[in-house]
Amino acid sequence: MRSYSKSCVYQIYVKSFADSNKDGIGDIPGIIGKLDYLADLGVDYLWLTPFFTSPMNDNGYDVADYRRINPCFGTMEDVERLIAEAKKRGILLMFDMVFNHTSTEHEWFRRALAGEKEYQDYYIFKDPVDGKEPTNWQSKFGGSAWEFVPSLGKYYLHLFDRTQADLNWENPKVREELKQVIRFWKDKGVGGFRFDVVNLISKPAVWEDDTIGDGRRFYTDGPHVHEYLKELVADTGIADMMTVGEMSSTSVEQCIRYTRPSERELAMAFSFHHLKVDYKDGDKWSLMEPDFKQLRDLFATWQEQMQDADGWNALFFNNHDQPRAISRFGDDDTYRRESGKMLGLLIHGMRGTPYIYQGEEIGTPNAGFTTIDEYRDVESLNYYEILRANGKSEAEALEILAERSRDNGRTPMLWTEEEYAGFSEREPWLAFPRNRKGISVEEQMQQEDSILAFYRKLIQLRKELAVLSEGDIRFLDTPEGTIGYERRFEGQRLIVLCNLCDRAIAIPSEEWQQGELLLDSYEQPPTDVTMLRPYEGRARVQNEK
Ligand code: GLC
Ligand code: CA
């Protein structure tokens, strides 16, 4: 049996989950207060986004001290209590290790700026070339990836915000410092780790301009990345722990190497190709309807190839960097319930370890913001300016943000139907989704056929049904607009069929319509089994013996 095949991870965006001290910002004690809810949902791990000391330019992904707690989230005592209280309920914590870069407010960077050579070697400082940036690489948040420091006469590399300076992993001292961070949290009883953009840590030996792209082809899955990961994992003794790497613009081949148990790197990996099927020409800021054929083919490729080579996928549609899948691939209005469940089934039915992002289990939609001052995210604010500078009208730029902003996924959790949603007792740091009526934990707790109840069932089934946790997967040739696959294990066959369209679609094969109906995103079982209703997701089990 594969490790973590029966597990389910729940991701908490700490700033938006639950506010215990009424300052409008989610915090650690707030999470403790919701542990019973999470235990009842049945999840095994909680991945918490970074809550360490930080100037919060990128909401904590700019870490200034890996061992201290940002006071707005609580204290070390709170964190220790959270770990202990979760453990009591059979839940383990996963902390987010942002090791590609630090905040420019980190002590190492400050000492580098103050002229200490030793700490300049912790980062990637380069001399100007022809009086300009060392390369033409672009930051993922817009603009140059280099920032000039006049006092040093040098540039430093930042693949993200200019306040997130990339670390120099070639320096063994840096690698040792980061191992110490892992050991520190492991000793506190943390059950696993998520590694932020970890496939970007190894930069190339030669620095050159990218004439066809933004530079990513030079540092993505870079020359020493596997070596560095193996070393980090071996030296901190986390090879058998729950670990997941966030892999930016990666390939299946690379992810097989990151996750194959014999490599002793990571337990699983996030990849993002399936979340670009609505990017026009691969550009996040150009809108396009989702291409479901491409979505289906990407899932098929990743699932089947990872399986054949013993890799392991982290399964997900949502996280704090993505707009809500229900608004993107489903229908967050008329078919909210049906499409919310269907998307859940599509993800949870596959081979891998499913991740649920807070609010997904109740069908939280996109934010629906219509003015720029509702947005908080650094990437959104940067791109708003870039879009405007490139000639988009204010209305056009806002329309793009409404679809693509990361703030869509960051709105505070909807616990109740009250004004502040049971999240806080005052205006939160980021507004609630405009369209939120009937979307709350409180409301859905009382309904047997809620999205929430369906997710609970999905989590439970993965623990009970071996075909779901261990089965081989093969994708079926279903009509366009639908995605279907089968799982097989010891004479059992599970068939999952999902309709991603707002119209009914006929499914040709009779063979897929046999067996016991295990799950359906509609409350009423189908009257005509040869048709998938709009946004219907259906799972059947067949016993071949
Ligand atoms: C990852 C995080 C994202 C962050 C970026 C830089 O992609 O998920 O939120 O902005 O890394 O740390
Ligand atoms: Ca608070």
Side-chain angles (χ1 to χ4, degrees), residues 18-28 72-73 423-424:
D19 173 20
S20 71
N21 62 347
K22 310 178 180 80
D23 61 356
I25 296 174
D27 47 55
I28 302 288
C72 80
F73 294 134
F423 166 76
S424 184

Side-chain angles (χ1 to χ4, degrees), residues 83-84 87 92-93 183-192 241:
I83 295 171
K87 208 168 259 169
L92 293 175
L93 270 298
R183 293 182 190 120
F184 177 85
W185 289 114
K186 198 178 159 210
D187 287 348
K188 295 241 181 238
V190 166
M241 276 173 88

Side-chain angles (χ1 to χ4, degrees), residues 58 61 101 141 160 194 196-197 246 320-321 406 410:
D58 189 19
Y61 283 92
H101 43 264
F141 290 165
F160 295 89
R194 180 245 187 203
D196 190 62
V197 291
E246 185 199 23
H320 64 292
D321 294 328
R406 303 195 296 181
R410 298 178 179 183

